[in-house]
Amino acid sequence: MTTTAQPTTVRFTKGQGTGNDFVLFSDPEGDFDLTPDRIRALADRHFGVGGDGVIRAVRSENHPEGRAILEEDDAAEWFMDYHNADGSAAEMCGNGIRVFTAYLLEQGLATLTPGETLSIGTRAGVRDVQLNARGFQVDLGRWRLDDEHPEVRARDLHAVRPGLGLSVGNPHVVVALATADELAKVDLTVIPIIEPAPLEGANVEFVVPSDPLVADGVGRITMRVHERGSGETLSCGTGAAAAALAVRYYAGPSAPDQWRVDVPGGTVGVRMFATEDGEHVSLSGPAELVFTGELAI
Ligand SMILES: N[C@@H](CCC[C@H](N)C(=O)O)C(=O)O
């Protein structure tokens, strides 16, 4: 992998949350020239470290988008500078923010004890993280149903399916399928075609409701995802939240506000709850730091 900038050594940590994996490094002053070439070099599974995304920890005051976030909440000391494996920037990453939190704690850059909240700046706004029984819980903020009702065509789906467009800080289109067999057969090695095509692209989730849909008051679904900028991944946290919101929408008013979402890389929890500024959705799940190293890019 070639880069146009002079090679420089990055001390990185590899982390994962339900198999959604990231290369993390800290750049408190925000002076590292993080070019798309360098992001691709770090994320490359053959020639680099390998990951679905690259996350840089920058002090909010030292990042242009971080500074804007400080106006919203000056407690967000750290900005999660998230990039997909193809070098594109994304507004938010639900698995990534848990792994980012674990990284900040491990590096001694932040502290978080049970009952406390750690506010983190993201391109989608400030997001609050807490410890919980699954690992970490993050308030993804207010969600939004998009006006357009797109159609989705994926290889081996044999038909164009209706999708539901939702934003949980970043864009998603959720497609409900009837059976686990149908879900297994969808070929996500190619990008699903969405029509009308969202201007900024979208993550596409294929979801199958469990039978029964609700057990012990918790809704259950299984999901696979094609992530914008990364391809099929083992998990997508914001995608799990979007999928649970879509299935609750389809299921109607009796559907629960608590969901368990099974993804190829594990299980995450999703909860919808009322706040003064409208309904929020939260995500909970594990975060693990796997190894550290250095790479010249
Ligand atoms: N895997 C993430 C989402 C990462 C960003 C996404 N690919 C996008 O471009 O919006 C998650 O766990 O939410």
Side-chain angles (χ1 to χ4, degrees):
M1 182 72 48
T2 53
T3 61
T4 47
Q6 278 293 98
T8 182
T9 298
V10 175
R11 283 196 58 76
F12 68 84
T13 294
K14 173 75 185 278
Q16 63 87 19
T18 53
N20 202 188
D21 60 345
F22 312 100
V23 183
L24 302 107
F25 69 98
S26 75
D27 176 25
E29 305 308 317
D31 49 18
F32 182 75
D33 185 15
L34 187 58
T35 61
D37 271 352
R38 283 183 161 154
I39 293 162
R40 288 190 284 269
L42 285 167
D44 192 300
R45 294 193 185 279
H46 303 285
F47 296 97
V49 186
D52 297 322
V54 171
I55 305 180
R56 170 169 64 151
V58 191
R59 278 190 202 284
S60 300
E61 63 191 12
N62 296 329
H63 192 284
E65 288 160 292
R67 278 193 289 278
I69 290 303
L70 283 177
E71 283 168 26
E72 193 184 313
D73 184 344
D74 65 6
E77 183 184 355
W78 290 96
F79 180 74
M80 177 175 79
D81 185 21
Y82 184 89
H83 292 269
N84 290 311
D86 70 353
S88 60
E91 302 88 335
M92 188 35 202
C93 179
N95 290 323
I97 199 166
R98 299 194 316 274
V99 178
F100 183 71
T101 303
Y103 175 75
L104 292 180
L105 301 183
E106 191 265 342
Q107 295 280 308
L109 300 173
T111 57
L112 183 62
T113 54
E116 269 184 1
T117 296
L118 180 66
S119 297
I120 289 173
T122 76
R123 292 188 176 84
V126 175
R127 296 292 179 257
D128 289 339
V129 184
Q130 296 183 319
L131 295 167
N132 87 344
R134 283 185 193 268
F136 296 96
Q137 171 174 298
V138 52
D139 181 349
L140 298 176
R142 273 201 345 241
W143 62 278
R144 192 186 70 231
L145 198 60
D146 286 341
D147 294 339
E148 299 259 32
H149 283 216
E151 293 192 316
V152 177
R153 185 195 308 265
R155 192 191 279 177
D156 290 349
L157 203 50
H158 303 303
V160 175
R161 302 297 175 102
L164 196 62
L166 291 129
S167 169
V168 288
N170 58 348
H172 296 267
V173 174
V174 182
V175 179
L177 301 177
T179 65
D181 191 44
E182 212 180 359
L183 182 67
K185 283 190 176 140
V186 178
D187 180 358
L188 294 181
T189 60
V190 286
I191 303 177
I193 297 164
I194 308 168
E195 273 167 7
L199 216 56
E200 307 288 342
N203 304 284
V204 185
E205 287 79 28
F206 294 89
V207 60
V208 176
S210 297
D211 185 15
L213 178 61
V214 182
D216 300 327
V218 180
R220 285 158 191 248
I221 55 178
T222 305
M223 177 192 105
R224 284 178 64 202
V225 59
H226 187 284
E227 281 197 39
R228 177 180 68 166
S230 302
E232 180 170 18
T233 61
L234 294 182
S235 177
C236 176
T238 51
L245 285 162
V247 174
R248 186 185 67 159
Y249 173 85
Y250 287 131
S254 63
D257 291 332
Q258 206 168 327
W259 293 80
R260 170 195 160 119
V261 184
D262 292 327
V263 291
T267 299
V268 293
V270 173
R271 195 168 66 84
M272 300 87 172
F273 59 99
T275 74
E276 279 170 7
D277 68 335
E279 191 181 60
H280 283 210
V281 60
S282 74
L283 169 77
S284 56
E288 191 193 356
L289 304 178
V290 187
F291 63 89
T292 59
E294 287 187 355
L295 187 72
I297 52 169

